[in-house]
Amino acid sequence: MQNFAIQVLKEQELDILIELIKEFALHEIMQDEIKCNKENLYHSIFKTKVAKAFLLKENNKTIGYMIYFYTFSSFLGANGIYLEDIYLKKEYRNKGYGKQVFKF
């Protein structure tokens, strides 16, 4: 059985996250839309903390990522979260990892 883990992104892993974002953009045929860089990811995730980022791992090997941020609905008067990205490398899909991310 595979060991799946969701781990909080560390500052020294920003380059890994950027590569995964680029892979996701390529998968979505949106590589021309990528504007983020290490500096603005650092600012948003670690400095202002407006977004949360996690690496998805199987047996300690990075296989994907997820990013979310908090929202607020004035109509509902309640907060929530918006899952911006959930990405798994192709060979790790259909293993139930996405369901585990949503349970998380």
Side-chain angles (χ1 to χ4, degrees), residues 22-37:
K22 288 177 182 177
E23 274 184 39
F24 186 32
L26 185 62
H27 169 76
E28 294 290 320
I29 312 168
M30 296 179 70
Q31 55 271 41
D32 294 338
E33 302 295 320
I34 296 290
K35 305 288 187 247
C36 75
N37 58 42

mmCIF file of all heavy atoms in Angstrom, residues 22-37:
data_model
loop_
_atom_site.group_PDB
_atom_site.id
_atom_site.type_symbol
_atom_site.label_atom_id
_atom_site.label_comp_id
_atom_site.label_asym_id
_atom_site.label_seq_id
_atom_site.Cartn_x
_atom_site.Cartn_y
_atom_site.Cartn_z
ATOM 1 N N LYS A 22 3.638 24.966 -13.336
ATOM 2 C CA LYS A 22 3.910 24.974 -14.785
ATOM 3 C C LYS A 22 3.412 23.686 -15.445
ATOM 4 O O LYS A 22 2.863 23.719 -16.549
ATOM 5 C CB LYS A 22 5.402 25.171 -15.037
ATOM 6 C CG LYS A 22 5.877 26.572 -14.732
ATOM 7 C CD LYS A 22 7.375 26.705 -14.937
ATOM 8 C CE LYS A 22 7.868 28.100 -14.592
ATOM 9 N NZ LYS A 22 9.326 28.219 -14.730
ATOM 10 N N GLU A 23 3.594 22.541 -14.773
ATOM 11 C CA GLU A 23 3.083 21.266 -15.289
ATOM 12 C C GLU A 23 1.569 21.313 -15.418
ATOM 13 O O GLU A 23 1.002 20.856 -16.410
ATOM 14 C CB GLU A 23 3.438 20.118 -14.346
ATOM 15 C CG GLU A 23 4.780 19.508 -14.546
ATOM 16 C CD GLU A 23 4.991 18.310 -13.624
ATOM 17 O OE1 GLU A 23 4.044 17.525 -13.400
ATOM 18 O OE2 GLU A 23 6.121 18.167 -13.125
ATOM 19 N N PHE A 24 0.913 21.856 -14.389
ATOM 20 C CA PHE A 24 -0.542 21.962 -14.394
ATOM 21 C C PHE A 24 -1.000 22.860 -15.539
ATOM 22 O O PHE A 24 -1.943 22.539 -16.259
ATOM 23 C CB PHE A 24 -1.031 22.486 -13.044
ATOM 24 C CG PHE A 24 -2.519 22.507 -12.872
ATOM 25 C CD1 PHE A 24 -3.341 21.565 -13.477
ATOM 26 C CD2 PHE A 24 -3.114 23.471 -12.080
ATOM 27 C CE1 PHE A 24 -4.714 21.587 -13.295
ATOM 28 C CE2 PHE A 24 -4.487 23.501 -11.885
ATOM 29 C CZ PHE A 24 -5.286 22.553 -12.503
ATOM 30 N N ALA A 25 -0.319 23.976 -15.736
ATOM 31 C CA ALA A 25 -0.665 24.894 -16.831
ATOM 32 C C ALA A 25 -0.502 24.211 -18.182
ATOM 33 O O ALA A 25 -1.335 24.380 -19.075
ATOM 34 C CB ALA A 25 0.199 26.148 -16.757
ATOM 35 N N LEU A 26 0.542 23.414 -18.321
ATOM 36 C CA LEU A 26 0.753 22.679 -19.568
ATOM 37 C C LEU A 26 -0.383 21.674 -19.787
ATOM 38 O O LEU A 26 -0.927 21.568 -20.884
ATOM 39 C CB LEU A 26 2.105 21.958 -19.515
ATOM 40 C CG LEU A 26 2.550 21.238 -20.774
ATOM 41 C CD1 LEU A 26 2.726 22.212 -21.936
ATOM 42 C CD2 LEU A 26 3.852 20.500 -20.515
ATOM 43 N N HIS A 27 -0.771 20.985 -18.725
ATOM 44 C CA HIS A 27 -1.886 20.030 -18.786
ATOM 45 C C HIS A 27 -3.176 20.720 -19.225
ATOM 46 O O HIS A 27 -3.954 20.165 -19.997
ATOM 47 C CB HIS A 27 -2.067 19.363 -17.417
ATOM 48 C CG HIS A 27 -3.313 18.571 -17.280
ATOM 49 N ND1 HIS A 27 -3.456 17.329 -17.852
ATOM 50 C CD2 HIS A 27 -4.481 18.844 -16.652
ATOM 51 C CE1 HIS A 27 -4.667 16.869 -17.578
ATOM 52 N NE2 HIS A 27 -5.305 17.766 -16.847
ATOM 53 N N GLU A 28 -3.393 21.933 -18.741
ATOM 54 C CA GLU A 28 -4.605 22.696 -19.060
ATOM 55 C C GLU A 28 -4.461 23.511 -20.349
ATOM 56 O O GLU A 28 -5.379 24.251 -20.703
ATOM 57 C CB GLU A 28 -4.951 23.636 -17.900
ATOM 58 C CG GLU A 28 -5.357 22.929 -16.630
ATOM 59 C CD GLU A 28 -6.715 22.248 -16.737
ATOM 60 O OE1 GLU A 28 -7.631 22.830 -17.348
ATOM 61 O OE2 GLU A 28 -6.854 21.129 -16.212
ATOM 62 N N ILE A 29 -3.306 23.398 -21.013
ATOM 63 C CA ILE A 29 -2.977 24.174 -22.208
ATOM 64 C C ILE A 29 -3.141 25.675 -21.908
ATOM 65 O O ILE A 29 -3.773 26.424 -22.635
ATOM 66 C CB ILE A 29 -3.803 23.736 -23.429
ATOM 67 C CG1 ILE A 29 -3.772 22.213 -23.570
ATOM 68 C CG2 ILE A 29 -3.274 24.392 -24.707
ATOM 69 C CD1 ILE A 29 -4.772 21.654 -24.562
ATOM 70 N N MET A 30 -2.556 26.076 -20.784
ATOM 71 C CA MET A 30 -2.633 27.466 -20.339
ATOM 72 C C MET A 30 -1.256 27.996 -19.955
ATOM 73 O O MET A 30 -1.148 28.931 -19.160
ATOM 74 C CB MET A 30 -3.588 27.577 -19.144
ATOM 75 C CG MET A 30 -5.024 27.228 -19.454
ATOM 76 S SD MET A 30 -6.089 27.345 -17.998
ATOM 77 C CE MET A 30 -6.115 29.112 -17.747
ATOM 78 N N GLN A 31 -0.190 27.415 -20.502
ATOM 79 C CA GLN A 31 1.157 27.815 -20.108
ATOM 80 C C GLN A 31 1.433 29.286 -20.368
ATOM 81 O O GLN A 31 2.247 29.895 -19.673
ATOM 82 C CB GLN A 31 2.230 26.909 -20.712
ATOM 83 C CG GLN A 31 2.191 26.763 -22.201
ATOM 84 C CD GLN A 31 1.318 25.626 -22.695
ATOM 85 O OE1 GLN A 31 0.245 25.376 -22.195
ATOM 86 N NE2 GLN A 31 1.774 24.930 -23.727
ATOM 87 N N ASP A 32 0.731 29.901 -21.317
ATOM 88 C CA ASP A 32 0.920 31.330 -21.586
ATOM 89 C C ASP A 32 0.301 32.217 -20.507
ATOM 90 O O ASP A 32 0.562 33.420 -20.464
ATOM 91 C CB ASP A 32 0.326 31.704 -22.949
ATOM 92 C CG ASP A 32 1.076 31.053 -24.104
ATOM 93 O OD1 ASP A 32 2.249 30.676 -23.916
ATOM 94 O OD2 ASP A 32 0.474 30.918 -25.186
ATOM 95 N N GLU A 33 -0.515 31.632 -19.646
ATOM 96 C CA GLU A 33 -1.194 32.381 -18.588
ATOM 97 C C GLU A 33 -0.346 32.528 -17.324
ATOM 98 O O GLU A 33 -0.692 33.298 -16.435
ATOM 99 C CB GLU A 33 -2.512 31.700 -18.217
ATOM 100 C CG GLU A 33 -3.477 31.547 -19.372
ATOM 101 C CD GLU A 33 -3.980 32.874 -19.902
ATOM 102 O OE1 GLU A 33 -4.259 33.772 -19.073
ATOM 103 O OE2 GLU A 33 -4.088 33.015 -21.132
ATOM 104 N N ILE A 34 0.747 31.774 -17.218
ATOM 105 C CA ILE A 34 1.574 31.789 -16.004
ATOM 106 C C ILE A 34 2.265 33.144 -15.857
ATOM 107 O O ILE A 34 3.030 33.561 -16.720
ATOM 108 C CB ILE A 34 2.639 30.662 -16.045
ATOM 109 C CG1 ILE A 34 1.976 29.294 -16.059
ATOM 110 C CG2 ILE A 34 3.607 30.792 -14.874
ATOM 111 C CD1 ILE A 34 1.311 28.916 -14.772
ATOM 112 N N LYS A 35 1.963 33.806 -14.765
ATOM 113 C CA LYS A 35 2.586 35.096 -14.450
ATOM 114 C C LYS A 35 3.305 35.051 -13.103
ATOM 115 O O LYS A 35 4.063 35.952 -12.780
ATOM 116 C CB LYS A 35 1.532 36.212 -14.400
ATOM 117 C CG LYS A 35 0.685 36.326 -15.652
ATOM 118 C CD LYS A 35 1.453 36.884 -16.815
ATOM 119 C CE LYS A 35 0.540 37.132 -17.998
ATOM 120 N NZ LYS A 35 0.770 36.297 -19.128
ATOM 121 N N CYS A 36 3.026 34.034 -12.302
ATOM 122 C CA CYS A 36 3.606 33.983 -10.949
ATOM 123 C C CYS A 36 5.100 33.669 -11.017
ATOM 124 O O CYS A 36 5.598 33.112 -11.992
ATOM 125 C CB CYS A 36 2.880 32.964 -10.081
ATOM 126 S SG CYS A 36 3.276 31.256 -10.438
ATOM 127 N N ASN A 37 5.781 34.067 -9.958
ATOM 128 C CA ASN A 37 7.195 33.766 -9.816
ATOM 129 C C ASN A 37 7.468 33.471 -8.344
ATOM 130 O O ASN A 37 6.563 33.554 -7.507
ATOM 131 C CB ASN A 37 8.064 34.902 -10.352
ATOM 132 C CG ASN A 37 7.778 36.219 -9.650
ATOM 133 O OD1 ASN A 37 7.614 36.275 -8.429
ATOM 134 N ND2 ASN A 37 7.709 37.289 -10.425
#
